[in-house]
């Protein structure tokens, strides 16, 4: 005991002739996330070890732990898990995982209207799905989720196996590709619905962007076993979201609009005290910060960047947020949807528990 104390004291007094090996300090979560993101972008463990002044063994341990944590957060909720649990035939599994049937290869619009923006014109090059193809892709998507989820249940986060994580990620990449195929084939549906809601107060491309998010959520919740077409379910989801978001937008614009003279005609000039306005603004900022603290660090950062909640910062697109965070645009959209869901539930619970609610 005394010897250890003496050696430790000697190492402190003479660090250049230290005898005991240095004890590595615990890493911050932000540092571990940076290491993992840079490794996913292609940086080797050796280069990261030099950059962060660590051993390659410790870098690999950090990457393995963060990779396991990332896998545990993957959205793998599926429809039809009871049917998949009874699946025993390898032949049936191969039928589910094979490419969609050709059949009447998809309905395709050959004529593109003149003067259409490039993004909208490119949608006409994506074939629509037949009902048979649609059913096959949704069944494949949910089976891949089910299979990946079953493998994830066997993953030990403290000692994750690389082979098992590789299998889960392969399945996840395939289900993302399948999901994207469904989404791309239905983007024209979003455009056609957005055209009905275009007005002087609503930007068309903002509507399309908002509708695309509703479309992605609909893909996750659609139950193909009921026999309905996905376009019917997605149209209902998109229009329901527009009815809510557009009314909120118009309400905010009517409340904060300052460049129209008619708004001043209905308001008396009471010479509002500037200090009261500043106090109200501070209270609003404090309330927003309090709400955002309910999110984890990554969710809070993405929400802040996406909506420009930092003073002097403009809102960023999903792609710009992804570049800043070092993740894909799709991953940013998933985390943002999850964070907004948390905030909506929090606000709903706060409102319902208010003693001043009539």
């Amino acid at each position: 005991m005394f010897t250890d104390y003496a050696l430790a004291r000697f190492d402190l007094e003479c660090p250049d002739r230290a005898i005991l090996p240095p004890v590595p300090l615990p890493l911050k979560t932000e540092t571990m996330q940076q290491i993992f993101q840079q490794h996913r972008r292609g940086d080797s463990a050796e280069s990261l070890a030099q950059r962060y002044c660590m051993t390659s063994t410790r870098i690999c341990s950090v990457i393995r732990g963060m990779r396991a944590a990332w896998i545990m957060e993957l959205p793998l909720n599926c429809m039809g898990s009871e049917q998949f649990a009874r699946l025993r035939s390898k032949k049936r599994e191969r039928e589910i995982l094979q490419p969609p049937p050709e059949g009447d290869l998809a309905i395709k619009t050959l004529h593109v209207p003149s003067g259409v923006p490039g993004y909208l014109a490119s949608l006409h090059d994506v074939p629509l799905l037949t009902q048979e193809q649609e059913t096959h892709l949704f069944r494949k998507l949910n089976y891949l989720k089910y299979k990946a989820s079953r493998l994830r249940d066997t993953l030990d986060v403290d000692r994750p196996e690389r082979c098992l994580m590789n299998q889960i990620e392969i399945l996840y990449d395939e289900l993302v590709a399948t999901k994207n195929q469904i989404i791309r084939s239905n983007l024209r549906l979003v455009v056609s619905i957005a055209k009905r809601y275009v007005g002087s107060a609503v930007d068309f491309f903002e509507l399309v962007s908002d509708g695309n998010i509703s479309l992605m959520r609909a893909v996750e919740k659609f139950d193909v076993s009921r026999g309905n077409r996905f376009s019917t379910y997605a149209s209902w989801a998109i229009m329901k979201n527009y009815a809510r978001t557009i009314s909120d937008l118009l309400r905010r614009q009517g409340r904060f609009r300052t460049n129209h003279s008619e708004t001043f005609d209905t308001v008396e000039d009471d010479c509002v005290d500037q200090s009261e306005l500043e106090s109200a603004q501070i209270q609003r900022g404090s309330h927003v910060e309090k709400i955002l603290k309910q999110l984890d660090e990554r969710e809070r950062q993405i929400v802040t960047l996406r909506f420009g909640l930092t003073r002097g910062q403009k809102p960023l697109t999903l792609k710009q947020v992804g570049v800043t965070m070092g993740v894909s645009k799709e991953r940013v959209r998933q985390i943002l949807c999850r964070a907004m869901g948390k905030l909506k539930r929090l606000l709903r619970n706060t409102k319902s528990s208010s003693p001043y609610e009539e």
Side-chain angles (χ1 to χ4, degrees):
M1 186 72 175
F2 177 77
T3 304
D4 293 341
Y5 173 78
L7 291 175
R9 185 174 182 81
F10 176 82
D11 289 348
L12 289 174
E13 295 175 353
C14 307
D16 56 330
R17 292 182 294 165
I19 299 173
L20 297 176
V23 178
L25 297 175
L27 295 176
K28 294 182 179 179
T29 304
E30 297 91 338
T31 305
M32 293 191 292
Q33 289 177 346
Q34 290 175 2
I35 293 173
F36 178 61
Q37 292 165 3
Q38 291 166 6
H39 177 70
R40 289 183 67 86
R41 289 198 294 264
D43 293 355
S44 64
E46 291 74 16
S47 64
L48 291 172
Q50 294 178 358
R51 188 178 307 163
Y52 289 91
C53 301
M54 302 180 194
T55 64
S56 297
T57 302
R58 192 180 186 195
I59 288 291
C60 291
S61 177
V62 170
I63 293 172
R64 190 165 54 250
M66 294 302 297
R67 185 184 179 191
W70 176 75
I71 287 176
M72 296 305 293
E73 291 184 3
L74 294 179
L76 298 178
N77 296 329
C78 69
M79 296 288 181
S81 57
E82 300 82 4
Q83 298 176 3
F84 297 142
R86 296 193 296 267
L87 187 63
R88 296 291 182 268
S89 171
K90 289 292 183 182
K91 179 180 178 181
R92 179 57 179 154
E93 182 181 27
R94 287 193 297 269
E95 291 176 355
I96 293 176
L97 296 179
Q98 68 183 359
E102 294 294 336
D104 295 331
L105 186 60
I107 306 167
K108 185 175 181 180
T109 303
L110 300 178
H111 174 69
V112 180
S114 60
V116 175
Y119 167 73
L120 301 183
S122 64
L123 299 183
H124 292 268
D125 296 330
V126 181
L128 303 179
L129 299 174
T130 64
Q131 185 169 8
E132 186 180 10
Q133 291 171 330
E134 182 178 281
T135 301
H136 176 85
L137 287 174
F138 270 103
R139 186 177 291 116
K140 179 180 179 180
L141 171 65
N142 285 288
Y143 183 70
L144 288 169
K145 286 183 178 182
Y146 169 78
K147 195 171 182 180
S149 178
R150 291 293 300 273
L151 288 176
R152 185 172 64 179
D153 291 341
T154 64
L155 180 65
D156 185 356
V157 180
D158 296 326
R159 290 186 174 182
E161 298 180 13
R162 179 179 300 177
C163 180
L164 181 59
M165 290 193 291
N166 288 342
Q167 294 179 44
I168 297 173
E169 288 189 353
I170 289 173
L171 291 171
Y172 183 71
D173 290 341
E174 190 173 357
L175 74 86
V176 168
T178 304
K179 178 182 176 181
N180 289 340
Q181 184 177 357
I182 297 172
I183 292 172
R184 285 194 300 269
S185 299
N186 287 276
L187 288 176
R188 269 185 276 175
L189 175 66
V190 177
V191 174
S192 64
I193 297 175
K195 289 179 180 178
R196 309 175 196 171
Y197 292 86
V198 174
S200 58
V202 185
D203 180 72
F204 173 67
F205 285 99
E206 284 291 335
L207 284 175
V208 171
S209 177
D210 199 20
N212 288 342
I213 295 177
S214 299
L215 177 66
M216 295 171 193
R217 293 173 181 165
V219 171
E220 296 290 342
K221 297 180 180 180
F222 181 64
D223 188 356
V224 71
S225 64
R226 297 187 177 183
N228 300 320
R229 288 303 301 264
F230 174 67
S231 58
T232 304
Y233 178 81
S235 298
W236 172 83
I238 294 169
M239 289 187 291
K240 181 180 179 182
N241 180 62
Y242 280 162
R244 180 176 62 254
T245 57
I246 292 177
S247 61
D248 291 343
L249 176 62
L250 294 176
R251 190 181 304 113
R252 289 196 301 269
Q253 289 180 344
R255 183 180 303 169
F256 297 108
R257 182 170 50 210
T258 59
N259 61 340
H260 290 76
S261 59
E262 62 269 16
T263 58
F264 295 101
D265 294 337
T266 59
V267 180
E268 296 182 3
D269 185 8
D270 291 332
C271 298
V272 180
D273 188 359
Q274 184 64 26
S275 62
E276 293 182 4
L277 295 177
E278 293 178 356
S279 176
Q281 181 65 26
I282 293 173
Q283 290 180 358
R284 284 193 292 269
S286 176
H287 186 57
V288 171
E289 290 181 2
K290 183 177 179 181
I291 293 176
L292 290 179
K293 286 182 180 179
Q294 305 300 319
L295 305 176
D296 62 41
E297 185 175 349
R298 183 165 54 172
E299 292 172 342
R300 185 164 58 250
Q301 187 173 0
I302 286 178
V303 171
T304 301
L305 292 173
R306 179 68 179 93
F307 298 106
L309 299 182
T310 303
R311 182 181 293 273
Q313 182 188 38
K314 295 182 179 179
L316 302 181
T317 64
L318 295 176
K319 184 176 181 180
Q320 290 172 334
V321 175
V323 172
T324 303
M325 299 290 294
V327 296
S328 66
K329 176 182 176 181
E330 173 64 21
R331 184 58 180 156
V332 171
R333 183 179 289 107
Q334 292 173 357
I335 297 174
L336 181 63
C337 291
R338 183 178 62 195
M340 296 307 293
K342 287 183 180 179
L343 294 177
K344 287 180 181 178
R345 289 193 296 271
L346 175 65
L347 292 174
R348 192 183 303 117
N349 294 337
T350 303
K351 184 177 180 181
S352 62
S353 61
S354 174
Y356 305 105
E357 184 83 21
E358 290 186 358

